[in-house]
Amino acid sequence: MAGENGRRRFLLVYLNTGNGHRAQASVLQEAFFDYAPDVKVELLCGFDRKNRCGRLLVEKSYGIACNYIHGAWPLIYTLGTFTFFQKIVYYSVRLHTRAYLQKVLAEKDITDVVSFHFVMTPVLRDAIRAVRRETGRNIRLTVITTDPFTGPSAWFYLKHQDYLVASPQFRDFALRCGVPADRIRIVPFLLNKKFARPVTDNEIFFLRRKYGYAQDKRVVLLAGGGEGLPGALKFVNQCVLHRAQFSIAVVCGRNKGLYRSLELVKKMAPWVDLHIYGFVDFMDSLVKLSDLIVSKAGTSSIMEIASQQKPVIISNYIYGQEKGNLEFVKQNGIGSFIRHSADIYERINGIFASREAYEKAAAACRGLVIDTDVAKIVKYLLGDEGNAGTRKTK
């Protein structure tokens, strides 16, 4: 299918619930630029600025439930397994969102839509149907599940829809949710091409010089997404107490309170080599120059760390949604799950105790192979039968 001027136009729709949805949509957009530069591809947040209901109900409540109110997210996640709750969210979001999406689809002459968020999928279907009634145009809808191993059943609220998943585990889950087998396809994980190959020793040397890190010290990176890593301050305090001999990099994201607290710690404890960041556009460089990463079990973070063959310690994870990511880390021996800051510090000291200890921790990471050939997804979406097979349309 092509637009009025004969060109395909893709719209990649995400929501700002964490950074993973937009991050993966951006990776796909960049892959289109590389593989099919003549195809127009745009990113779109499914909620416009006027959609206060959607932003509060979905985006804001997600961040608050995951980061600030203990036990709130497990409750929401459990409720989300029930169809009646999924319908409540769907109809609440649909009120303003469908009209907005319908207008965008019509005005931009979109031919293909890719949904990167389960809340968006049924609303996009309604908007597509409305455009079809008004113009007679068919628009393809495909869902890419950004959770690779485990995630909410709301991903599969619509049964007869095309789904692209990143693992056999999630494919089996989709089948149990009632999606026909011929509607599910396993594809590579959408990983930024900056992480396409492991970093070399020479690159690490120049990155450390560029960002002001000592060449003779190990580096521990603390990163936890847009709100920073929960417990980061407690861990840094452990480093202060024990006069840590390694450098510490902390990415705080939008968490200004954490940033200010760490700045105070840095002034009061100058013997600790502490590097503090807010939002950064060089996370790939920080991962590459580090020796070990302490992180939450976010999908993109785990895959990026694994691709660079760095040992990882998971300090927390989002109930249900990120459980599979945690199991992936443990089963492949690339890291461990430790909650308490004192235990994390002890574990890091053990890994850094000698070159042999560190090499043992890093060895498992080097044997891990991750399929990140994003061009396969582009070929599939474009219907390149010679490379990616055929696809069903509705």
Side-chain angles (χ1 to χ4, degrees):
M1 179 188 293
E4 291 182 0
N5 64 357
R7 293 180 65 189
R8 298 280 289 276
R9 288 185 172 86
F10 280 78
L11 190 67
L12 314 184
V13 183
Y14 65 92
L15 289 180
N16 291 311
T17 51
N19 296 323
H21 303 280
R22 181 187 171 93
Q24 292 190 44
S26 297
V27 170
L28 182 59
Q29 182 186 42
E30 192 167 355
F32 266 103
F33 292 160
D34 292 340
Y35 180 80
D38 58 321
V39 177
K40 188 173 180 60
V41 182
E42 295 185 46
L43 299 181
L44 180 76
C45 177
F47 296 152
D48 66 332
R49 292 184 178 181
K50 297 179 181 179
N51 194 344
R52 294 185 179 88
C53 176
R55 289 182 180 275
L56 178 63
L57 181 65
V58 180
E59 293 181 342
K60 296 293 185 183
S61 63
Y62 175 84
I64 292 171
C66 290
N67 296 295
Y68 300 109
I69 304 177
H70 181 71
W73 178 249
L75 175 61
I76 294 172
Y77 189 92
T78 302
L79 286 172
T81 62
F82 297 100
T83 303
F84 81 88
F85 186 78
Q86 295 172 15
K87 287 183 177 179
I88 290 173
V89 175
Y90 160 52
Y91 284 111
S92 299
V93 170
R94 181 178 182 268
L95 292 174
H96 177 87
T97 311
R98 191 195 71 169
Y100 167 64
L101 293 173
Q102 180 182 342
K103 181 181 179 182
V104 172
L105 295 175
E107 288 182 350
K108 293 182 177 293
D109 192 25
I110 299 299
T111 62
D112 300 80
V113 176
V114 182
S115 173
F116 283 85
H117 201 289
F118 52 83
V119 170
M120 283 290 95
T121 303
V123 186
L124 282 165
R125 176 202 59 184
D126 293 350
I128 288 169
R129 286 177 174 176
V131 172
R132 183 188 304 160
R133 287 194 298 268
E134 289 188 0
T135 67
R137 286 196 299 115
N138 282 321
I139 300 174
R140 293 192 179 105
L141 174 62
T142 305
V143 181
I144 294 182
T145 61
T146 56
D147 298 314
F149 306 110
T150 55
S153 58
W155 273 116
F156 308 110
Y157 177 82
L158 300 181
K159 308 307 178 188
H160 296 278
Q161 188 58 61
D162 292 331
Y163 290 97
L164 304 186
V165 301
S167 70
Q169 298 97 303
F170 216 42
R171 179 184 184 275
D172 292 343
F173 181 61
L175 291 171
R176 294 197 298 272
C177 289
V179 180
D182 61 350
R183 288 288 189 177
I184 313 166
R185 186 181 185 87
I186 299 174
V187 296
F189 181 77
L190 284 162
L191 187 69
N192 193 305
K193 64 182 180 182
K194 293 178 180 179
F195 296 94
R197 61 173 180 79
V199 66
T200 66
D201 290 341
N202 281 340
E203 288 171 327
I204 293 173
F205 177 86
F206 286 110
L207 284 171
R208 289 191 177 180
R209 187 167 70 177
K210 177 180 179 179
Y211 292 103
Y213 288 83
Q215 299 290 348
D216 59 347
K217 285 186 176 183
R218 295 288 188 184
V219 180
V220 174
L221 171 64
L222 276 64
E227 298 294 335
L229 181 69
L233 181 59
K234 291 182 179 179
F235 174 77
V236 172
N237 285 336
Q238 287 290 321
C239 295
V240 171
L241 178 65
H242 296 285
R243 293 182 174 266
Q245 297 303 300
F246 50 82
S247 301
I248 309 139
V250 185
V251 179
C252 303
R254 66 175 67 90
N255 193 332
K256 295 180 180 178
L258 174 61
Y259 190 97
R260 288 192 293 267
S261 297
L262 290 174
E263 280 191 320
L264 183 60
V265 170
K266 186 172 184 177
K267 290 178 182 178
M268 296 181 66
W271 58 85
V272 175
D273 186 18
L274 180 60
H275 303 252
I276 313 164
Y277 306 94
F279 265 111
V280 298
D281 58 2
F282 50 89
M283 180 60 76
D284 60 304
S285 296
L286 293 177
V287 171
K288 289 174 180 178
L289 67 81
S290 300
D291 294 291
L292 182 148
I293 293 92
V294 181
S295 175
K296 66 188 288 292
T299 298
S300 294
S301 297
I302 294 303
M303 293 303 177
E304 290 166 1
I305 294 166
S307 73
Q308 295 305 299
Q309 302 176 349
K310 307 284 186 176
V312 60
I313 293 175
I314 304 300
S315 60
N316 57 77
Y317 68 97
I318 296 176
Y319 173 87
Q321 183 176 336
E322 294 178 348
K323 183 181 179 182
N325 301 342
L326 175 61
E327 292 174 347
F328 171 82
V329 167
K330 294 194 295 184
Q331 289 171 3
N332 286 282
I334 62 175
S336 52
F337 174 53
I338 307 174
R339 283 192 181 275
H340 300 294
S341 57
D343 296 332
I344 293 172
Y345 183 84
E346 183 179 350
R347 173 64 174 154
I348 291 173
N349 256 1
I351 293 174
F352 288 168
S354 65
R355 175 175 290 275
E356 292 74 20
Y358 181 77
E359 285 301 315
K360 182 179 179 181
C365 308
R366 300 192 182 108
L368 185 63
V369 178
I370 303 173
D371 186 0
T372 59
D373 187 0
V374 184
K376 293 177 183 177
I377 302 177
V378 175
K379 293 172 186 178
Y380 170 77
L381 292 171
L382 292 175
D384 187 340
E385 296 184 16
N387 294 280
T390 59
R391 61 171 293 159
K392 277 182 120 177
T393 59
K394 285 177 67 178

